[in-house]
Amino acid sequence: MASVRRLHLFDLDGTLIHGSAAAVEISRQLGVGAEIAELEREFRVLGLTPDEFAVRARELWAELTLAQVAAAFEGAPWLLGIREVWADIRKRGDYCAVISLSPDFFVARLLEWGVHAAHGSRWPVLPFTEPVDRAGILNPAAKVKIANRLCAEFGVGLDDCVAYGDSMSDAEIFATVPRAVAVNADHHLSGLATHTYRGGDLREAYELVRLQ
């Protein structure tokens, strides 16, 4: 009997990027770090919705260039071992994907690192001439919908998925799959996980579920 293939689902902000987020790294390039930190606080504490966050971030990033996005991506504090983990997943005949609320123009760059699919919120093309379309901005429930679409695409079931995340925006997907790794997460999400990892190397987090 053929072995069951698995789909590994990775969050981006706070998970693959250790202690930071795409929006923070982009804002650092533009000198608006304090402003984005306030938006992040409102998102975490005051219930600012993802689409409103995006609309207000778009205002802060009005002059954003592709070169600045590239610099933000390259300078982000990524976990070690991301490429190696994705290469091992591919070698084993399994699949891996990133699902993030962050802008697609940032998330899509991870395709070059070997992930099978990278889904982010749909933003206007850079340089910006159009406003953010709120309908294209992902929310936590959208992560589950995208996971279902990926399962259909790759021919696996949700029971064959592993999720990796760090915050309550990952809670819905953690509740949907049988194995979930809380990566440098707060206690709220850790309580929903089957495994918990703290550190700076994705290979160590992956090893917790690699042979299960």
Side-chain angles (χ1 to χ4, degrees):
M1 185 174 68
S3 60
V4 175
R5 291 188 170 184
R6 294 204 292 178
L7 171 59
H8 296 258
L9 301 164
F10 296 90
D11 173 54
L12 174 67
D13 299 324
T15 303
L16 296 178
I17 299 180
H18 190 188
S20 189
V24 173
E25 298 304 315
I26 291 168
S27 296
R28 183 174 290 126
Q29 295 294 319
L30 291 164
V32 291
E35 291 86 345
I36 209 69
E38 174 58 23
L39 283 187
E40 292 274 357
R41 186 190 71 82
E42 291 184 31
F43 179 74
R44 291 191 312 270
V45 179
L46 302 180
L48 185 70
T49 61
D51 61 319
E52 182 62 22
F53 182 101
V55 168
R56 291 168 62 179
R58 160 70 174 80
E59 294 173 358
L60 294 174
W61 300 347
E63 305 303 319
L64 183 63
T65 66
L66 283 170
Q68 288 169 321
V69 173
F73 185 89
E74 293 165 9
W78 299 99
L79 289 183
L80 300 174
I82 294 174
R83 293 177 182 85
E84 291 84 351
V85 167
W86 292 345
D88 187 75
I89 289 171
R90 283 179 172 269
K91 182 179 179 181
R92 294 166 66 85
D94 292 336
Y95 303 100
C96 49
V98 175
I99 307 175
S100 172
L101 307 188
S102 286
D104 52 1
F105 58 72
F106 190 96
V107 180
R109 290 174 175 267
L110 289 168
L111 291 169
E112 297 180 4
W113 290 12
V115 73
H116 286 95
H119 290 267
S121 292
R122 188 175 69 249
W123 274 61
V125 175
L126 284 165
F128 295 140
T129 59
E130 301 292 332
V132 166
D133 178 2
R134 290 177 183 264
I137 303 303
L138 302 184
N139 57 35
K143 287 191 171 189
V144 177
K145 293 178 182 177
I146 292 170
N148 274 297
R149 291 207 305 267
L150 289 170
C151 284
E153 178 182 342
F154 295 132
V156 302
L158 280 174
D159 286 345
D160 305 315
C161 291
V162 184
Y164 304 76
D166 76 301
S167 70
M168 288 305 290
S169 67
D170 302 302
E172 291 190 43
I173 201 162
F174 269 39
T176 305
V177 302
R179 289 171 293 275
V181 184
V183 180
N184 297 313
D186 62 29
H187 69 279
H188 299 292
L189 190 71
S190 296
L192 303 175
T194 56
H195 300 78
T196 300
Y197 172 72
R198 303 201 72 82
D201 195 320
L202 187 62
R203 290 166 293 196
E204 296 170 353
Y206 172 58
E207 197 62 31
L208 296 174
V209 293
R210 179 175 180 268
L211 299 179
Q212 291 188 353

